[in-house]
C-alpha cells in the first residue's frame, strides 16, 4: 500500500517534468513550481535551443560524438570522467566552462579537482571544431554534449541537448570546494542543489550517475575504521562490503568502483545497492537512510524506465544551470578551452 502510493506520486512527478520539459525547463529553477505559476509562463524563455548550431555549425554534434566515442573506446574510464567534469562545471558559476580554465588559482588547480579527468578529450574536440567552425562552438556546450554522449556510451539514456552557452571568464580555486565531496548530510546536499535550481528528485536521479566510475578511497575512508569518532566502522555499511573495501583501500589514492556490482554499466544497480547497504560514499547511502529521498531510491531501483527518463530530464536541468547566453552576459566563445580569449 505504502509502495503503491509512492510509485503513483512518483509517476505523476516524472510525467509532469516530462510534459513541461520542452516548454519551461530551459531556464533554471524548479520545474514543478514553474508549471504551477502561470505568470511565469509568459516570461521570455532562456535562449538555449536544440537547433542553435544547425546553421552555424551543422556538424558540431556529430564531431563531438565521434571524438567522444573514439576516445572512450580506447579508455572506458573517460565516460564517467566526462560526466563528472560536466557536473563540476555546472556546480560552480553555472555551466560556463570555468572548470576547464587552466591557469594558476583556477577551479581546476584546486585540491578538490585533483581527480577530475578528460580535459584532453575536450581540447581535442575543441581544436577540431575550431578548424571546422572557428569561434563558434563554446567549451561549455562541448562539455555538455560530451557528457550526454558519454552517458549513452555507458548504456544510459539519450536526451536532446539545448545549446547556446557562452564561456565564462572567471574561475577561482576556492570555489571548487563548494562542490559536494561525499561527507555531507542530505539537508546540506538539498540546500546546495536548491541554490542552483535543482530539487530532491534531481538529487536522487543525478546521483544515479554513480552507477559508473570510481572514487578514491580518500572520499570514504572515514567509514571504514573510525566512523565519526566512534572507534567503529559506519554501521550503514554491509559487513562483507566493508571487508572488501578495507582490502581495496591500502592508500587514500587507491580507486574503487562506485557501483560494486555492475561498475561499467549505466543501470539501476546503484539504487539496489543502496537498499543492501552497499553504497560507497556516505552521501550515496544517505539517499536511502533519509526518509525524504528513500522513496525515490526505491522507485528507481525497481523501475529502470523511470530512472532513465528522469535522469535525462535532470541532466537537461543541470545543463541549464546559470548559463551565459546572448551578448549581454559577459560570456565569450573561447578559442582554447584552457584560456580566456586574449589571455
Ligand atoms: C550531489 C552530490 C554528489 C556527491 C556528494 C558526489 C561525490 C562524488 C565523489 C566523492 C566522487 C569520487 C571522487 C574521488 O574521490 O575521486 C564522485 C565521482 C563521480 N561523480 Fe559524483 N557526486 C555528486 C553528484 C554527482 C552528479 C550530479 C554527477 C553527474 C551528473 C556525478 C557524477 C560522478 C561520476 C560519473 C563519478 C565518477 C568519476 C570517475 O570515475 O572518474 N556526481 N562523486
Ligand atoms: C510567479 O512567478 C513570478 C516571477 O518569477 C513571481 O514574481 C510571482 O510572485 C510568482 N507568483 C506566485 C503565485 O508564486
Ligand atoms: C547537516 O550538516 C550541516 C553542516 O555540517 C549541519 O549544520 C547540520 O546540523 C546537519 N543536519 C543534520 C540534520 O544532521
Ligand atoms: C556523527 O556524530 C554526531 C554526534 O555524535 C551525530 O549527531 C551524527 O548524526 C553522526 N553522523 C552520522 C552521519 O552518523
Amino acid at each position: 500500500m505504502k509502495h503503491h502510493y509512492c510509485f503513483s506520486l512518483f509517476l505523476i512527478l516524472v510525467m509532469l517534468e516530462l510534459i513541461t520539459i520542452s516548454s519551461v525547463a530551459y531556464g533554471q529553477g524548479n520545474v514543478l513550481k514553474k508549471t504551477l505559476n502561470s505568470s511565469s509562463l509568459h516570461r521570455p524563455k532562456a535562449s538555449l535551443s536544440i537547433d542553435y548550431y544547425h546553421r552555424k555549425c551543422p556538424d558540431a554534434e556529430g564531431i563531438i560524438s565521434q571524438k567522444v566515442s573514439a576516445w572512450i573506446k580506447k579508455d572506458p574510464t573517460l565516460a564517467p570522467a566526462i560526466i563528472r567534469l560536466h557536473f563540476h562545471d555546472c556546480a560552480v558559476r553555472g555551466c560556463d566552462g570555468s572548470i576547464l580554465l587552466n591557469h594558476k588559482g583556477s577551479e581546476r588547480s584546486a585540491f578538490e579537482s585533483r581527480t577530475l579527468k578528460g580535459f584532453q578529450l575536450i581540447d581535442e574536440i575543441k581544436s577540431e571544431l575550431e578548424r571546422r567552425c572557428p569561434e563558434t562552438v563554446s567549451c561549455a556546450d562541448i562539455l555538455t554534449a560530451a557528457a550526454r554522449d558519454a552517458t549513452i556510451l555507458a548504456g544510459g539514456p539519450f536526451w536532446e541537448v539545448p545549446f547556446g552557452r557562452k564561456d565564462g571568464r572567471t574561475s577561482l580555486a576556492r570555489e571548487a570546494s563548494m562542490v559536494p565531496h561525499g561527507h555531507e548530510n542530505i539537508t546540506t546536499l538539498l540546500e546546495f542543489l536548491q541554490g542552483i535550481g535543482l530539487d530532491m528528485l534531481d538529487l536522487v536521479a543525478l546521483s544515479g550517475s554513480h552507477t559508473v566510475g570510481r572514487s578514491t578511497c580518500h572520499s570514504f575512508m572515514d567509514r571504514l575504521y573510525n566512523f565519526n569518532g566512534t572507534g567503529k566502522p559506519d554501521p550503514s555499511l554491509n559487513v562483507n562490503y566493508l571487508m572488501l573495501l578495507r582490502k581495496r583501500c591500502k592508500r587514500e589514492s587507491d580507486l574503487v568502483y562506485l557501483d560494486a556490482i555492475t561498475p561499467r554499466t549505466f543501470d539501476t544497480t546503484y539504487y539496489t545497492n543502496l537498499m543492501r547497504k552497499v553504497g560507497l560514499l556516505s552521501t550515496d547511502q544517505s539517499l536511502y537512510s533519509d526518509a525524504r529521498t528513500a522513496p525515490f531510491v526505491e522507485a528507481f531501483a525497481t523501475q529502470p524506465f523511470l530512472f532513465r527518463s528522469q535522469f535525462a530530464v535532470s541532466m537537461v536541468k543541470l545543463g541549464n544551470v546559470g548559463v551565459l547566453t546572448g551578448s549581454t552576459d559577459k560570456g565569450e566563445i573561447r578559442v582554447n578551452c584552457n584560456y580566456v580569449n586574449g589571455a
Side-chain angles (χ1 to χ4, degrees):
M1 194 59 212
K2 176 171 163 278
H3 270 81
H4 234 93
Y5 169 73
C6 285
F7 286 158
S8 311
L9 172 70
F10 187 74
L11 256 170
I12 291 163
L13 285 173
V14 167
M15 284 162 86
L16 259 176
E17 293 227 23
L18 283 174
I19 290 161
T20 54
I21 183 77
S22 56
S23 52
V24 292
Y26 286 178
Q28 17 170 338
N30 184 318
V31 170
L32 287 176
K33 257 194 223 136
K34 282 195 173 178
T35 315
L36 300 171
N37 181 337
S38 61
S39 81
S40 68
L41 291 174
H42 304 294
R43 270 184 298 143
K45 296 172 177 75
S47 47
L48 296 186
S49 70
I50 285 162
D51 56 8
Y52 189 81
Y53 292 120
H54 279 190
R55 272 196 286 157
K56 291 176 201 270
C57 188
D59 294 335
E61 271 192 272
I63 292 167
I64 295 169
S65 81
Q66 251 171 19
K67 293 277 181 204
V68 170
S69 56
W71 280 55
I72 288 178
K73 206 170 274 171
K74 276 190 267 168
D75 178 5
T77 70
L78 280 174
I82 290 290
I83 297 169
R84 181 171 180 232
L85 197 53
H86 174 53
F87 169 52
H88 281 238
D89 182 26
C90 299
V92 180
R93 292 182 177 269
C95 312
D96 68 342
S98 58
I99 193 65
L100 304 173
L101 289 174
N102 196 15
H103 57 73
K104 223 176 131 215
S106 70
E107 285 165 42
R108 178 172 169 176
S109 72
F111 175 79
E112 289 84 356
S113 301
R114 73 200 177 287
T115 59
L116 293 177
K117 305 194 305 178
F119 298 99
Q120 292 78 6
L121 168 54
I122 302 302
D123 287 345
E124 167 148 331
I125 296 169
K126 181 61 177 175
S127 38
E128 180 63 19
L129 284 172
E130 283 304 299
R131 272 193 290 276
R132 303 275 282 271
C133 324
E135 297 172 48
T136 306
V137 185
S138 69
C139 299
D141 276 349
I142 292 172
L143 184 50
T144 308
R148 188 271 313 271
D149 295 337
T151 303
I152 296 170
L153 288 165
F158 169 86
W159 62 91
E160 293 281 0
V161 174
F163 291 106
R165 296 163 193 78
K166 294 274 162 53
D167 298 319
R169 294 180 53 87
T170 307
S171 178
L172 301 170
R174 65 180 144 79
E175 294 183 347
S177 62
M178 291 161 40
V179 184
H181 46 74
H183 295 97
E184 299 81 2
N185 58 41
I186 295 296
T187 303
T188 304
L189 291 181
L190 288 174
E191 280 168 6
F192 174 77
L193 285 192
Q194 259 159 37
I196 60 173
L198 303 184
D199 58 30
M200 192 150 74
L201 192 51
D202 299 317
L203 171 64
V204 182
L206 293 175
S207 296
S209 54
H210 292 171
T211 180
V212 290
R214 297 176 297 180
S215 170
T216 57
C217 293
H218 172 87
S219 300
F220 57 86
M221 204 72 157
D222 58 314
R223 303 182 73 199
L224 304 187
Y225 297 100
N226 180 15
F227 182 63
N228 211 3
T230 57
K232 295 194 185 116
D234 185 340
S236 67
L237 260 178
N238 170 290
V239 175
N240 295 318
Y241 189 45
L242 169 67
M243 293 308 164
L244 177 83
L245 293 178
R246 282 181 171 174
K247 260 202 288 199
R248 292 284 156 81
C249 290
K250 298 302 179 216
R251 278 177 279 162
E252 298 241 316
S253 58
D254 290 337
L255 289 165
V256 177
Y257 288 123
L258 283 155
D259 171 354
I261 312 294
T262 56
R264 288 167 194 254
T265 320
F266 202 98
D267 57 15
T268 51
T269 309
Y270 166 79
Y271 298 105
T272 49
N273 288 345
L274 301 184
M275 297 173 73
R276 299 183 177 123
K277 301 169 84 173
V278 185
L280 184 61
L281 305 174
S282 162
T283 42
D284 292 329
Q285 197 57 56
S286 303
L287 293 175
Y288 190 57
S289 53
D290 191 294
R292 291 167 290 179
T293 45
F296 298 115
V297 171
E298 290 186 19
F300 288 146
T302 51
Q303 306 283 301
F305 169 78
L306 289 186
F307 168 56
R308 293 174 71 85
S309 47
Q310 185 58 48
F311 187 79
V313 170
S314 294
M315 282 298 275
V316 172
K317 282 176 78 178
L318 178 65
N320 289 336
V321 171
V323 293
L324 306 172
T325 54
S327 44
T328 53
D329 274 332
K330 284 192 210 143
E332 63 185 17
I333 308 290
R334 245 176 251 157
V335 172
N336 179 328
C337 295
N338 293 262
Y339 309 104
V340 300
N341 292 341

